[in-house]
Amino acid sequence: MRAFLAGLEETGDLKRITRKVDARFEIASVLSLRERGPAQFFETVGGSPMPVVGNLFNSRARFARALDIAPEDLDTACLNALQNPARPVLIEDAPVQAVVHRAPFDLGALLPVPHWFEKEAGAYITAGVIVARDPETGRRNVSIARLRLEGGGRIMAGIARNHHLAMLAEKARLRGHALEIAVAIGNHAAVLIGSQMYLGLGDDEFDIVGGLLGEGVELVKCRTVDLEVPAHAEIVLEGELRPEDLIEEGAVSEFPGFYVYYGPGIGGEIKCVTHRRDAIYQAILPGYAAEHCLLGAVAIGATLTRDLRRSIPAVRRVLVTEGGMGRLHAVISMHRPRLGEGKRAVLLAVGLVNLLKHVVVVEDDVDIEDPRQVEWSLAARFRGHEDLIVLPGVKADRCDPLHEDLVVTKIGMVATTRPGDGEAGGRSEFARPPAAIYEHVRRNLDDY
Ligand code: MN
Protein backbone atom coordinates (compact mmCIF):
# COMPACT_ATOMS: atom_id res chain seq x y z
CA MET A 1 0.00 0.00 0.00
CA ARG A 2 2.87 2.35 0.83
CA ALA A 3 4.46 2.25 -2.61
CA PHE A 4 1.05 2.85 -4.13
CA LEU A 5 0.44 5.89 -1.92
CA ALA A 6 3.79 7.35 -2.96
CA GLY A 7 2.85 6.89 -6.62
CA LEU A 8 -0.54 8.56 -6.10
CA GLU A 9 1.12 11.52 -4.42
CA GLU A 10 3.45 12.00 -7.39
CA THR A 11 0.54 12.35 -9.79
CA GLY A 12 -1.61 14.51 -7.52
CA ASP A 13 -4.02 11.68 -6.71
CA LEU A 14 -3.48 11.88 -2.96
CA LYS A 15 -4.90 14.75 -0.94
CA ARG A 16 -3.05 15.43 2.32
CA ILE A 17 -5.24 16.82 5.06
CA THR A 18 -3.04 18.54 7.61
CA ARG A 19 -5.65 19.97 9.97
CA LYS A 20 -6.46 17.80 12.95
CA VAL A 21 -9.54 15.64 12.41
CA ASP A 22 -11.69 13.64 14.80
CA ALA A 23 -12.11 9.91 14.15
CA ARG A 24 -15.68 10.35 15.38
CA PHE A 25 -17.67 11.09 12.21
CA GLU A 26 -15.31 13.77 10.83
CA ILE A 27 -13.23 11.33 8.74
CA ALA A 28 -16.50 9.72 7.60
CA SER A 29 -17.85 13.10 6.51
CA VAL A 30 -14.75 14.05 4.51
CA LEU A 31 -14.55 10.63 2.81
CA SER A 32 -18.24 10.80 2.00
CA LEU A 33 -18.07 14.35 0.57
CA ARG A 34 -14.99 13.38 -1.47
CA GLU A 35 -16.15 9.91 -2.37
CA ARG A 36 -14.48 10.04 -5.80
CA GLY A 37 -11.22 11.58 -6.92
CA PRO A 38 -7.98 11.68 -4.94
CA ALA A 39 -7.31 9.36 -2.01
CA GLN A 40 -7.58 11.22 1.30
CA PHE A 41 -4.66 11.12 3.73
CA PHE A 42 -5.43 12.39 7.23
CA GLU A 43 -2.06 13.28 8.76
CA THR A 44 -3.31 14.14 12.24
CA VAL A 45 -6.14 12.25 13.84
CA GLY A 46 -7.13 13.41 17.32
CA GLY A 47 -6.00 11.03 20.05
CA SER A 48 -3.93 8.78 17.78
CA PRO A 49 -0.34 8.73 16.64
CA MET A 50 -1.34 7.03 13.36
CA PRO A 51 -2.47 8.73 10.16
CA VAL A 52 -5.51 7.43 8.27
CA VAL A 53 -5.91 6.91 4.53
CA GLY A 54 -9.27 6.49 2.84
CA ASN A 55 -10.97 6.47 -0.60
CA LEU A 56 -7.90 4.66 -1.88
CA PHE A 57 -9.60 2.28 -4.33
CA ASN A 58 -12.66 4.30 -5.32
CA SER A 59 -12.56 3.55 -9.06
CA ARG A 60 -11.83 0.58 -11.29
CA ALA A 61 -8.96 2.61 -12.74
CA ARG A 62 -7.42 2.95 -9.27
CA PHE A 63 -7.52 -0.81 -8.76
CA ALA A 64 -5.92 -1.30 -12.17
CA ARG A 65 -3.22 1.22 -11.37
CA ALA A 66 -2.43 -0.55 -8.09
CA LEU A 67 -2.05 -3.80 -10.03
CA ASP A 68 0.13 -2.02 -12.60
CA ILE A 69 -2.21 -2.73 -15.52
CA ALA A 70 -4.36 -0.68 -17.90
CA PRO A 71 -7.91 0.09 -16.66
CA GLU A 72 -9.52 -1.98 -19.43
CA ASP A 73 -7.44 -5.02 -18.38
CA LEU A 74 -8.77 -5.23 -14.82
CA ASP A 75 -11.30 -7.98 -15.50
CA THR A 76 -8.86 -9.98 -17.60
CA ALA A 77 -6.27 -9.75 -14.83
CA CYS A 78 -8.78 -11.02 -12.26
CA LEU A 79 -9.82 -13.83 -14.58
CA ASN A 80 -6.18 -14.78 -15.15
CA ALA A 81 -5.57 -14.82 -11.41
CA LEU A 82 -8.47 -17.23 -10.91
CA GLN A 83 -7.06 -19.48 -13.62
CA ASN A 84 -3.38 -19.14 -12.60
CA PRO A 85 -3.21 -18.99 -8.81
CA ALA A 86 0.18 -18.80 -7.06
CA ARG A 87 0.91 -20.19 -3.59
CA PRO A 88 2.02 -17.74 -0.88
CA VAL A 89 5.66 -17.54 0.20
CA LEU A 90 6.60 -17.56 3.89
CA ILE A 91 9.26 -15.06 4.97
CA GLU A 92 10.93 -14.45 8.33
CA ASP A 93 11.41 -10.73 8.82
CA ALA A 94 8.32 -8.69 8.15
CA PRO A 95 7.91 -4.92 8.31
CA VAL A 96 4.43 -5.42 9.79
CA GLN A 97 5.99 -6.89 12.94
CA ALA A 98 8.43 -4.02 13.60
CA VAL A 99 6.37 -2.91 16.60
CA VAL A 100 4.54 -5.36 18.88
CA HIS A 101 1.89 -4.53 21.50
CA ARG A 102 0.55 -7.25 23.79
CA ALA A 103 -2.71 -7.05 25.73
CA PRO A 104 -3.94 -5.46 27.88
CA PHE A 105 -4.56 -2.46 25.67
CA ASP A 106 -7.40 -0.35 24.37
CA LEU A 107 -7.71 -0.87 20.61
CA GLY A 108 -9.47 2.46 20.31
CA ALA A 109 -6.41 4.22 21.74
CA LEU A 110 -3.95 2.18 19.69
CA LEU A 111 -5.67 2.64 16.32
CA PRO A 112 -7.56 5.59 14.79
CA VAL A 113 -10.70 3.57 14.02
CA PRO A 114 -13.45 5.83 12.67
CA HIS A 115 -17.02 6.11 13.83
CA TRP A 116 -18.94 6.15 10.56
CA PHE A 117 -22.65 6.78 10.88
CA GLU A 118 -24.80 8.38 13.55
CA LYS A 119 -26.92 5.42 14.64
CA GLU A 120 -24.10 2.86 14.73
CA ALA A 121 -23.13 1.91 18.27
CA GLY A 122 -19.35 2.09 17.87
CA ALA A 123 -16.26 2.49 15.71
CA TYR A 124 -15.80 -0.07 12.92
CA ILE A 125 -12.64 -1.46 11.32
CA THR A 126 -13.74 -1.70 7.69
CA ALA A 127 -10.61 -2.65 5.73
CA GLY A 128 -9.55 -5.57 7.92
CA VAL A 129 -8.59 -8.66 5.91
CA ILE A 130 -9.35 -11.55 8.26
CA VAL A 131 -7.31 -14.76 8.09
CA ALA A 132 -8.59 -17.92 9.79
CA ARG A 133 -8.17 -21.67 9.54
CA ASP A 134 -10.91 -24.29 9.17
CA PRO A 135 -10.92 -26.18 12.51
CA GLU A 136 -11.87 -29.35 10.64
CA THR A 137 -9.60 -29.31 7.59
CA GLY A 138 -6.90 -26.80 8.57
CA ARG A 139 -7.52 -24.98 5.27
CA ARG A 140 -7.06 -21.22 5.27
CA ASN A 141 -9.78 -18.64 4.62
CA VAL A 142 -9.25 -14.95 3.86
CA SER A 143 -12.13 -12.45 3.88
CA ILE A 144 -13.26 -9.03 5.00
CA ALA A 145 -15.92 -8.47 7.63
CA ARG A 146 -16.74 -5.39 9.67
CA LEU A 147 -15.24 -5.40 13.17
CA ARG A 148 -16.67 -3.14 15.85
CA LEU A 149 -14.57 -2.05 18.81
CA GLU A 150 -16.19 -3.06 22.08
CA GLY A 151 -13.66 -1.56 24.53
CA GLY A 152 -10.24 -2.87 25.58
CA GLY A 153 -9.27 -5.66 23.21
CA ARG A 154 -12.88 -6.74 22.67
CA ILE A 155 -14.38 -6.79 19.20
CA MET A 156 -17.59 -7.83 17.47
CA ALA A 157 -17.56 -9.29 13.97
CA GLY A 158 -20.59 -8.76 11.73
CA ILE A 159 -20.72 -11.71 9.32
CA ALA A 160 -23.58 -13.20 7.32
CA ARG A 161 -24.16 -16.83 8.29
CA ASN A 162 -23.40 -18.17 4.80
CA HIS A 163 -19.95 -16.53 4.69
CA HIS A 164 -16.96 -18.81 5.07
CA LEU A 165 -15.66 -17.11 8.21
CA ALA A 166 -19.04 -17.58 9.93
CA MET A 167 -19.01 -21.25 8.89
CA LEU A 168 -15.53 -21.68 10.42
CA ALA A 169 -16.69 -19.96 13.62
CA GLU A 170 -19.65 -22.34 13.75
CA LYS A 171 -17.33 -25.35 13.33
CA ALA A 172 -15.22 -24.02 16.20
CA ARG A 173 -18.34 -23.56 18.34
CA LEU A 174 -19.42 -27.16 17.75
CA ARG A 175 -15.95 -28.26 18.86
CA GLY A 176 -16.29 -26.11 21.97
CA HIS A 177 -13.44 -23.69 21.29
CA ALA A 178 -12.70 -20.23 19.93
CA LEU A 179 -11.57 -19.50 16.36
CA GLU A 180 -8.15 -17.91 16.02
CA ILE A 181 -8.08 -14.92 13.67
CA ALA A 182 -5.55 -12.43 12.37
CA VAL A 183 -6.68 -9.15 10.84
CA ALA A 184 -4.41 -7.36 8.36
CA ILE A 185 -5.06 -3.65 7.74
CA GLY A 186 -3.36 -1.52 5.06
CA ASN A 187 -2.99 -4.02 2.24
CA HIS A 188 -1.96 -4.23 -1.41
CA ALA A 189 -4.97 -4.02 -3.77
CA ALA A 190 -4.35 -7.65 -4.77
CA VAL A 191 -4.93 -8.75 -1.17
CA LEU A 192 -8.18 -6.79 -0.98
CA ILE A 193 -9.53 -8.06 -4.31
CA GLY A 194 -8.36 -11.63 -3.70
CA SER A 195 -10.10 -11.68 -0.32
CA GLN A 196 -13.40 -10.88 -2.07
CA MET A 197 -13.34 -13.65 -4.69
CA TYR A 198 -16.18 -16.15 -4.57
CA LEU A 199 -14.24 -19.37 -4.07
CA GLY A 200 -15.21 -22.72 -2.63
CA LEU A 201 -14.88 -23.38 1.10
CA GLY A 202 -11.34 -24.66 1.54
CA ASP A 203 -9.91 -22.70 -1.40
CA ASP A 204 -7.20 -20.32 -0.22
CA GLU A 205 -7.87 -16.72 -1.31
CA PHE A 206 -4.14 -15.98 -0.88
CA ASP A 207 -3.52 -18.22 -3.93
CA ILE A 208 -5.64 -15.82 -6.01
CA VAL A 209 -3.77 -12.87 -4.51
CA GLY A 210 -0.61 -14.52 -5.84
CA GLY A 211 -2.28 -14.88 -9.23
CA LEU A 212 -3.02 -11.14 -9.23
CA LEU A 213 0.52 -10.26 -8.16
CA GLY A 214 2.14 -12.65 -10.63
CA GLU A 215 4.07 -14.22 -7.74
CA GLY A 216 3.19 -15.68 -4.35
CA VAL A 217 2.20 -13.09 -1.76
CA GLU A 218 4.75 -12.86 1.06
CA LEU A 219 3.34 -13.97 4.41
CA VAL A 220 4.79 -14.03 7.90
CA LYS A 221 3.84 -16.19 10.86
CA CYS A 222 1.82 -14.39 13.52
CA ARG A 223 3.32 -13.87 16.98
CA THR A 224 0.54 -15.34 19.10
CA VAL A 225 -1.77 -17.35 16.81
CA ASP A 226 -1.14 -20.21 14.36
CA LEU A 227 -1.84 -18.11 11.25
CA GLU A 228 0.07 -16.25 8.55
CA VAL A 229 -0.55 -12.69 7.39
CA PRO A 230 0.69 -10.45 4.55
CA ALA A 231 4.19 -9.40 5.60
CA HIS A 232 3.87 -5.98 3.97
CA ALA A 233 0.57 -4.95 5.55
CA GLU A 234 0.61 -1.89 7.80
CA ILE A 235 -1.07 -3.34 10.89
CA VAL A 236 -2.05 -6.82 12.13
CA LEU A 237 -4.41 -7.72 14.97
CA GLU A 238 -4.09 -11.22 16.44
CA GLY A 239 -6.78 -12.81 18.55
CA GLU A 240 -9.87 -14.97 18.39
CA LEU A 241 -13.58 -15.02 17.66
CA ARG A 242 -15.73 -16.54 20.41
CA PRO A 243 -18.79 -17.92 18.67
CA GLU A 244 -20.61 -18.54 21.97
CA ASP A 245 -20.21 -14.88 22.80
CA LEU A 246 -22.91 -13.09 20.80
CA ILE A 247 -23.16 -9.31 20.90
CA GLU A 248 -26.26 -7.45 19.70
CA GLU A 249 -25.20 -5.14 16.90
CA GLY A 250 -28.12 -2.75 16.61
CA ALA A 251 -28.16 -0.39 13.61
CA VAL A 252 -25.37 -0.82 11.07
CA SER A 253 -24.91 0.60 7.59
CA GLU A 254 -24.99 -1.64 4.53
CA PHE A 255 -24.12 -1.15 0.85
CA PRO A 256 -27.62 0.10 -0.19
CA GLY A 257 -26.88 3.14 1.97
CA PHE A 258 -29.55 2.30 4.55
CA TYR A 259 -29.27 1.15 8.14
CA VAL A 260 -30.00 -2.53 8.69
CA TYR A 261 -30.65 -4.54 11.83
CA TYR A 262 -29.08 -7.97 11.55
CA GLY A 263 -29.24 -8.93 15.22
CA PRO A 264 -26.26 -10.34 17.11
CA GLY A 265 -22.67 -10.49 15.82
CA ILE A 266 -19.84 -12.73 17.02
CA GLY A 267 -17.77 -11.47 19.92
CA GLY A 268 -14.01 -11.82 20.16
CA GLU A 269 -10.79 -10.58 21.69
CA ILE A 270 -7.60 -9.11 20.19
CA LYS A 271 -4.56 -10.08 22.25
CA CYS A 272 -1.67 -8.78 20.21
CA VAL A 273 -1.21 -5.92 17.72
CA THR A 274 1.81 -5.64 15.45
CA HIS A 275 2.52 -2.82 13.01
CA ARG A 276 5.12 -1.08 10.90
CA ARG A 277 7.05 1.84 12.26
CA ASP A 278 5.00 4.91 11.27
CA ALA A 279 2.09 2.63 10.34
CA ILE A 280 -0.76 4.04 8.25
CA TYR A 281 -4.31 2.98 9.09
CA GLN A 282 -6.47 2.22 6.05
CA ALA A 283 -10.21 2.87 6.28
CA ILE A 284 -12.86 1.98 3.72
CA LEU A 285 -15.92 4.21 3.82
CA PRO A 286 -18.82 1.76 4.29
CA GLY A 287 -22.43 2.12 3.11
CA TYR A 288 -23.29 3.16 -0.45
CA ALA A 289 -19.81 4.41 -1.27
CA ALA A 290 -17.71 3.87 -4.38
CA GLU A 291 -14.85 1.96 -2.73
CA HIS A 292 -17.11 -0.32 -0.69
CA CYS A 293 -19.32 -1.10 -3.71
CA LEU A 294 -16.44 -1.58 -6.14
CA LEU A 295 -14.44 -3.95 -3.99
CA GLY A 296 -17.24 -6.49 -4.12
CA ALA A 297 -18.16 -5.64 -7.71
CA VAL A 298 -14.72 -6.39 -9.16
CA ALA A 299 -14.52 -9.78 -7.49
CA ILE A 300 -18.11 -10.85 -8.18
CA GLY A 301 -17.76 -9.80 -11.82
CA ALA A 302 -14.58 -11.83 -12.25
CA THR A 303 -15.87 -15.03 -10.66
CA LEU A 304 -19.16 -14.76 -12.55
CA THR A 305 -17.37 -14.22 -15.87
CA ARG A 306 -15.38 -17.38 -15.24
CA ASP A 307 -18.43 -19.40 -14.22
CA LEU A 308 -20.71 -18.25 -17.05
CA ARG A 309 -18.05 -18.79 -19.71
CA ARG A 310 -17.69 -22.38 -18.59
CA SER A 311 -21.29 -23.05 -19.60
CA ILE A 312 -21.89 -20.46 -22.33
CA PRO A 313 -18.86 -19.68 -24.52
CA ALA A 314 -20.66 -16.69 -26.11
CA VAL A 315 -20.35 -14.83 -22.78
CA ARG A 316 -17.52 -12.30 -22.90
CA ARG A 317 -17.68 -10.27 -19.69
CA VAL A 318 -19.80 -9.61 -16.64
CA LEU A 319 -19.81 -6.16 -15.09
CA VAL A 320 -21.35 -5.76 -11.66
CA THR A 321 -22.27 -2.08 -11.69
CA GLU A 322 -21.51 0.59 -9.13
CA GLY A 323 -25.00 2.10 -9.41
CA GLY A 324 -26.43 -1.29 -8.47
CA MET A 325 -24.43 -1.04 -5.24
CA GLY A 326 -21.69 -3.27 -6.61
CA ARG A 327 -23.85 -6.24 -5.66
CA LEU A 328 -27.38 -6.30 -7.10
CA HIS A 329 -27.05 -5.35 -10.80
CA ALA A 330 -25.01 -6.96 -13.55
CA VAL A 331 -24.47 -6.35 -17.23
CA ILE A 332 -23.42 -9.39 -19.23
CA SER A 333 -21.87 -8.99 -22.65
CA MET A 334 -22.17 -11.77 -25.21
CA HIS A 335 -20.88 -12.27 -28.72
CA ARG A 336 -23.47 -13.30 -31.28
CA PRO A 337 -25.54 -15.41 -28.86
CA ARG A 338 -27.83 -18.06 -30.24
CA LEU A 339 -31.57 -17.67 -29.72
CA GLY A 340 -32.39 -17.97 -26.03
CA GLU A 341 -28.78 -18.01 -24.88
CA GLY A 342 -29.09 -14.56 -23.32
CA LYS A 343 -31.95 -15.77 -21.14
CA ARG A 344 -29.91 -18.78 -20.13
CA ALA A 345 -27.08 -16.46 -19.08
CA VAL A 346 -29.49 -14.46 -16.90
CA LEU A 347 -30.80 -17.59 -15.21
CA LEU A 348 -27.31 -18.89 -14.51
CA ALA A 349 -26.11 -15.52 -13.19
CA VAL A 350 -28.96 -15.00 -10.71
CA GLY A 351 -28.70 -18.67 -9.77
CA LEU A 352 -24.98 -18.50 -9.06
CA VAL A 353 -24.91 -15.16 -7.23
CA ASN A 354 -27.66 -14.85 -4.67
CA LEU A 355 -27.22 -11.07 -4.49
CA LEU A 356 -27.90 -10.41 -8.18
CA LYS A 357 -31.40 -9.10 -8.83
CA HIS A 358 -31.52 -7.17 -12.14
CA VAL A 359 -29.45 -8.43 -15.05
CA VAL A 360 -29.10 -6.84 -18.49
CA VAL A 361 -27.52 -8.78 -21.34
CA VAL A 362 -25.98 -6.86 -24.24
CA GLU A 363 -23.92 -7.58 -27.33
CA ASP A 364 -20.15 -7.22 -27.08
CA ASP A 365 -20.17 -4.41 -29.66
CA VAL A 366 -21.09 -2.01 -26.84
CA ASP A 367 -18.93 -0.95 -23.89
CA ILE A 368 -20.61 -2.34 -20.78
CA GLU A 369 -18.77 0.18 -18.60
CA ASP A 370 -20.67 2.96 -20.38
CA PRO A 371 -24.28 3.21 -19.06
CA ARG A 372 -25.26 5.22 -22.18
CA GLN A 373 -24.35 2.33 -24.45
CA VAL A 374 -26.16 -0.18 -22.24
CA GLU A 375 -29.25 2.03 -22.40
CA TRP A 376 -28.82 2.28 -26.20
CA SER A 377 -28.89 -1.51 -26.32
CA LEU A 378 -32.18 -1.57 -24.44
CA ALA A 379 -33.64 0.99 -26.84
CA ALA A 380 -32.32 -0.76 -29.96
CA ARG A 381 -32.47 -4.47 -29.18
CA PHE A 382 -34.81 -5.23 -26.28
CA ARG A 383 -38.32 -6.38 -27.11
CA GLY A 384 -40.36 -6.17 -23.92
CA HIS A 385 -42.85 -8.88 -24.83
CA GLU A 386 -40.25 -11.59 -25.25
CA ASP A 387 -36.84 -10.43 -23.99
CA LEU A 388 -37.96 -9.81 -20.42
CA ILE A 389 -37.74 -12.42 -17.66
CA VAL A 390 -39.62 -11.80 -14.43
CA LEU A 391 -39.01 -14.30 -11.64
CA PRO A 392 -41.07 -13.53 -8.55
CA GLY A 393 -40.39 -15.20 -5.23
CA VAL A 394 -36.71 -16.06 -5.67
CA LYS A 395 -34.49 -16.53 -2.61
CA ALA A 396 -32.84 -13.17 -1.85
CA ASP A 397 -29.74 -12.12 0.00
CA ARG A 398 -30.48 -10.63 3.42
CA CYS A 399 -28.73 -7.44 2.26
CA ASP A 400 -31.28 -6.77 -0.48
CA PRO A 401 -33.19 -3.64 0.57
CA LEU A 402 -36.45 -4.90 -0.94
CA HIS A 403 -36.60 -8.53 0.14
CA GLU A 404 -39.82 -9.77 1.76
CA ASP A 405 -39.35 -12.86 3.91
CA LEU A 406 -35.98 -13.25 2.19
CA VAL A 407 -37.45 -13.55 -1.30
CA VAL A 408 -37.39 -10.99 -4.07
CA THR A 409 -38.41 -10.60 -7.72
CA LYS A 410 -35.49 -11.11 -10.09
CA ILE A 411 -35.52 -9.55 -13.53
CA GLY A 412 -33.55 -10.20 -16.70
CA MET A 413 -33.53 -8.00 -19.81
CA VAL A 414 -31.91 -9.46 -22.90
CA ALA A 415 -30.81 -6.76 -25.35
CA THR A 416 -28.51 -8.72 -27.62
CA THR A 417 -28.59 -9.17 -31.38
CA ARG A 418 -30.41 -12.13 -32.88
CA PRO A 419 -29.25 -14.36 -35.68
CA GLY A 420 -29.65 -12.32 -38.88
CA ASP A 421 -29.43 -8.90 -37.19
CA GLY A 422 -27.27 -6.33 -38.97
CA GLU A 423 -27.71 -7.78 -42.45
CA ALA A 424 -27.58 -5.36 -45.38
CA GLY A 425 -30.99 -3.91 -46.11
CA GLY A 426 -32.38 -4.97 -42.72
CA ARG A 427 -33.60 -2.78 -39.85
CA SER A 428 -30.39 -3.10 -37.81
CA GLU A 429 -27.75 -2.32 -40.40
CA PHE A 430 -25.44 0.36 -38.98
CA ALA A 431 -25.18 3.63 -40.93
CA ARG A 432 -21.53 4.56 -41.46
CA PRO A 433 -19.29 6.26 -44.04
CA PRO A 434 -17.74 3.87 -46.58
CA ALA A 435 -15.60 1.32 -44.72
CA ALA A 436 -12.36 2.09 -46.60
CA ILE A 437 -12.46 5.80 -45.74
CA TYR A 438 -13.74 5.27 -42.19
CA GLU A 439 -10.99 2.74 -41.40
CA HIS A 440 -8.30 4.93 -42.94
CA VAL A 441 -9.38 7.86 -40.78
CA ARG A 442 -9.66 5.67 -37.68
CA ARG A 443 -6.09 4.39 -38.09
CA ASN A 444 -4.73 7.91 -38.59
CA LEU A 445 -7.03 9.81 -36.26
CA ASP A 446 -4.13 11.38 -34.37
CA ASP A 447 -3.19 13.26 -37.54
CA TYR A 448 -6.51 15.05 -37.73
MN1 MN B 1 -13.34 -18.45 1.39
Side-chain angles (χ1 to χ4, degrees):
M1 187 183 85
R2 251 166 211 243
F4 184 57
L5 289 179
L8 288 180
E9 183 142 42
E10 259 172 44
T11 54
D13 293 301
L14 183 95
K15 160 92 173 149
R16 279 187 181 272
I17 293 145
T18 49
R19 69 179 278 167
K20 185 171 162 186
V21 295
D22 196 331
R24 290 181 68 88
F25 308 118
E26 199 175 1
I27 289 175
S29 300
V30 175
L31 292 181
S32 177
L33 289 162
R34 295 197 183 128
E35 187 197 350
R36 283 155 207 286
Q40 304 290 309
F41 192 95
F42 302 90
E43 289 185 351
T44 316
V45 182
S48 173
M50 274 186 206
V52 172
V53 69
N55 291 359
L56 197 47
F57 301 109
N58 54 1
S59 69
R60 294 173 61 87
R62 201 66 74 64
F63 273 115
R65 184 170 166 182
L67 296 173
D68 210 13
I69 53 173
E72 62 272 20
D73 293 336
L74 181 58
D75 285 355
T76 313
C78 290
L79 213 55
N80 281 342
L82 288 166
Q83 280 151 358
N84 304 290
R87 303 287 301 276
V89 179
L90 209 57
I91 66 165
E92 297 283 329
D93 280 316
V96 74
Q97 293 180 335
V99 180
V100 179
H101 302 269
R102 287 177 191 269
F105 45 59
D106 179 22
L107 281 175
L110 223 48
L111 305 173
V113 184
H115 283 71
W116 297 104
F117 303 115
E118 188 171 10
K119 290 191 172 180
E120 290 175 345
Y124 279 94
I125 295 171
T126 51
V129 171
I130 305 173
V131 183
R133 221 182 280 291
D134 189 320
E136 191 183 356
T137 64
R139 303 283 299 169
R140 183 160 46 210
N141 191 68
V142 187
S143 62
I144 298 179
R146 62 185 179 279
L147 299 172
R148 193 173 74 189
L149 304 194
E150 299 292 319
R154 294 254 297 154
I155 54 164
M156 185 224 63
I159 328 167
R161 231 174 309 169
N162 59 341
H163 284 200
H164 289 168
L165 182 60
M167 291 161 72
L168 302 194
E170 177 62 10
K171 286 188 184 189
R173 189 186 69 81
L174 291 171
R175 284 170 165 71
H177 59 76
L179 181 74
E180 287 190 335
I181 56 166
V183 184
I185 301 166
N187 288 292
H188 192 287
V191 174
L192 293 174
I193 295 176
S195 74
Q196 299 308 293
M197 291 291 187
Y198 279 29
L199 308 180
L201 182 65
D203 294 338
D204 188 345
E205 286 82 3
F206 277 148
D207 293 350
I208 309 305
V209 174
L212 284 164
L213 292 170
E215 59 186 2
V217 58
E218 290 188 343
L219 303 181
V220 66
K221 278 193 174 304
C222 288
R223 293 299 177 94
T224 62
V225 291
D226 181 26
L227 295 167
E228 305 79 29
V229 284
H232 302 280
E234 293 289 320
I235 303 159
V236 167
L237 318 182
E238 303 179 5
E240 62 188 29
L241 290 182
R242 295 170 178 164
E244 295 279 6
D245 176 16
L246 297 181
I247 298 173
E248 183 59 39
E249 184 165 30
V252 61
S253 71
E254 188 55 276
F255 59 77
F258 303 138
Y259 288 115
V260 286
Y261 299 83
Y262 287 138
I266 302 172
E269 183 89 25
I270 299 302
K271 298 166 178 175
C272 175
V273 173
T274 75
H275 61 78
R276 285 176 179 252
R277 289 187 206 295
D278 310 317
I280 302 163
Y281 181 89
Q282 189 199 357
I284 293 177
L285 174 65
Y288 183 59
E291 188 174 26
H292 182 211
C293 292
L294 272 170
L295 195 47
V298 170
I300 297 170
T303 41
L304 204 48
T305 301
R306 176 197 61 181
D307 295 344
L308 289 186
R309 276 169 37 168
R310 264 187 202 147
S311 302
I312 311 176
V315 168
R316 288 294 179 267
R317 261 187 85 185
V318 182
L319 182 79
V320 177
T321 65
E322 227 186 295
M325 308 164 183
R327 310 284 190 280
L328 304 181
H329 291 180
V331 183
I332 300 173
S333 89
M334 298 180 73
H335 181 71
R336 291 275 154 193
R338 288 184 290 179
L339 263 186
E341 257 189 336
K343 284 189 179 175
R344 189 162 169 248
V346 169
L347 294 173
L348 274 177
V350 298
L352 285 166
V353 178
N354 199 27
L355 280 159
L356 282 184
K357 181 166 63 175
H358 300 149
V359 179
V360 178
V361 188
V362 298
E363 193 76 20
D364 68 344
D365 61 351
V366 305
D367 176 5
I368 55 176
E369 289 187 45
D370 180 356
R372 177 172 171 257
Q373 294 191 40
V374 173
E375 189 178 350
W376 175 88
S377 300
L378 287 169
R381 292 170 172 164
F382 170 72
R383 297 155 171 92
H385 66 290
E386 55 187 41
D387 295 329
L388 175 70
I389 310 175
V390 181
L391 299 164
V394 183
K395 170 85 177 62
D397 192 275
R398 70 170 187 169
C399 302
D400 192 297
L402 292 177
H403 81 74
E404 289 163 357
D405 298 325
L406 283 174
V407 300
V408 76
T409 298
K410 303 212 172 192
I411 286 179
M413 290 189 276
V414 180
T416 54
T417 60
R418 303 177 176 212
D421 275 3
E423 278 171 12
R427 286 168 63 195
S428 54
E429 181 189 2
F430 281 108
R432 286 200 183 100
I437 298 172
Y438 186 77
E439 279 310 305
H440 175 80
V441 173
R442 192 178 64 77
R443 279 196 305 274
N444 300 289
L445 197 54
D446 288 347
D447 301 339
Y448 285 82

